Amino acid sequence: MRSQAIGLAVAVVSATLFAAGYRAVLAPELELLLIQQVAERAHPGLLSLAIALGAGIAGALSLTSGADEALVGVMIAVALMPPAAAVGLGIAYVDPTLAVGAGVLVSVNLLSINVAGVATVWVRRYKPTHWYDAKEARRLTGRRLLIFGVSILILTSFLATSSLAARENAQFETEVETIADDATENLLAVEFTYEPNLLTQQPDTVTVRVYGENPPTAAALRERIRERTGVDVGVRVVTEQISRA
């Protein structure tokens, strides 16, 4: 546990220093949440838990079976380093949404890896040779698994909230696209912008791109969206000129 804490601290501090230098020299106003790989760590879903559990099992099996120990490096690279780097980015750019969201993901992944690793070693019947040490090991293992499991359940509630919000946003986008398609035959695209909160993203603006004459009015589209989805968002209608030859 001490090694894990030191390793993550080094990763977060390194990412913070690098991002602070990048911000000072090259991109002082970078919108981090517009970068897909970063945004995924700001609002992680329940799939992250499954990835972390799988990584923990793979790492423990590699250590206990004499398999390629590179699996441990893969485990760390997949489950821990990306969100730890995202925490550093959030700190450097003073973005609490990113820092907190990625921090929750790091915590869930770290705990899940430990639970999966300890459980895998337990199942493979690794234990001390002396009966007294074995009894103490069982007691400590059970207590740690209980603490880790309760902590994961608490933190997973954040992931569940994020996953539910992502599903609702996907349904909202599908409904809005249907509304826009019904409103005009000259639809080009529907674009969405979101207002990030601490754990979720809320729809903020819908941009409807059309061509030709008589485009639908933004006010009418906004009212239809509000009636059918219950969400009141800003709506923009952009008319584009198309030239064909």
Side-chain angles (χ1 to χ4, degrees), residues 164-242:
L164 180 60
R167 186 178 67 176
E168 291 176 349
N169 289 340
Q171 294 174 346
F172 171 78
E173 291 184 7
T174 300
E175 188 67 26
V176 170
E177 289 170 354
T178 301
I179 294 171
D181 190 50
D182 293 340
T184 177
E185 296 179 353
N186 301 328
L187 180 65
L188 290 174
V190 182
E191 301 169 355
F192 302 87
T193 59
Y194 290 86
E195 181 67 27
N197 297 324
L198 193 60
L199 297 176
T200 61
Q201 298 184 91
Q202 299 298 324
D204 182 63
T205 305
V206 174
T207 300
V208 179
R209 298 187 180 276
V210 299
Y211 68 94
E213 300 179 352
N214 301 320
T217 64
L221 284 176
R222 181 177 183 178
E223 183 61 23
R224 290 185 188 179
I225 293 172
R226 188 185 63 79
E227 290 178 353
R228 291 179 58 172
T229 67
V231 180
D232 190 13
V233 294
V235 176
R236 296 187 303 172
V237 177
V238 179
T239 303
E240 300 183 1
Q241 298 294 327
I242 296 181

Side-chain angles (χ1 to χ4, degrees), residues 138-160:
R138 283 195 299 271
R139 185 182 67 83
L140 290 175
T141 299
R143 186 174 68 182
R144 289 173 181 172
L145 286 175
L146 177 62
I147 294 173
F148 291 163
V150 171
S151 300
I152 289 173
L153 288 177
I154 294 173
L155 292 173
T156 299
S157 63
F158 294 97
L159 302 185

Side-chain angles (χ1 to χ4, degrees), residues 34-224:
L34 295 181
I35 304 173
Q36 181 181 359
Q37 291 85 348
V38 176
E40 289 174 353
R41 273 80 194 186
H43 299 100
L46 288 173
L47 181 60
S48 303
L49 178 62
I51 293 173
L53 290 173
I57 294 172
L61 286 175
S62 71
L63 292 176
T64 58
S65 63
D68 189 358
E69 292 186 4
L71 279 175
V72 179
V74 173
M75 172 189 72
I76 296 171
V78 168
L80 295 179
M81 287 303 100
V87 172
L89 288 172
I91 294 173
Y93 277 85
V94 195
D95 189 334
T97 298
L98 177 58
V100 172
V104 170
L105 180 57
V106 169
S107 301
V108 170
N109 285 0
L110 184 63
L111 291 168
S112 300
I113 286 173
N114 277 280
V115 167
V118 171
T120 301
V121 172
W122 195 353
V123 168
R124 292 181 66 84
R125 299 183 181 279
Y126 273 73
K127 61 181 180 179
T129 55
H130 195 278
W131 69 269
Y132 177 81
D133 293 333
K135 181 179 179 180
E136 181 68 9
R138 283 195 299 271
R139 185 182 67 83
L140 290 175
T141 299
R143 186 174 68 182
R144 289 173 181 172
L145 286 175
L146 177 62
I147 294 173
F148 291 163
V150 171
S151 300
I152 289 173
L153 288 177
I154 294 173
L155 292 173
T156 299
S157 63
F158 294 97
L159 302 185
T161 300
S162 182
S163 295
L164 180 60
R167 186 178 67 176
E168 291 176 349
N169 289 340
Q171 294 174 346
F172 171 78
E173 291 184 7
T174 300
E175 188 67 26
V176 170
E177 289 170 354
T178 301
I179 294 171
D181 190 50
D182 293 340
T184 177
E185 296 179 353
N186 301 328
L187 180 65
L188 290 174
V190 182
E191 301 169 355
F192 302 87
T193 59
Y194 290 86
E195 181 67 27
N197 297 324
L198 193 60
L199 297 176
T200 61
Q201 298 184 91
Q202 299 298 324
D204 182 63
T205 305
V206 174
T207 300
V208 179
R209 298 187 180 276
V210 299
Y211 68 94
E213 300 179 352
N214 301 320
T217 64
L221 284 176
R222 181 177 183 178
E223 183 61 23
R224 290 185 188 179

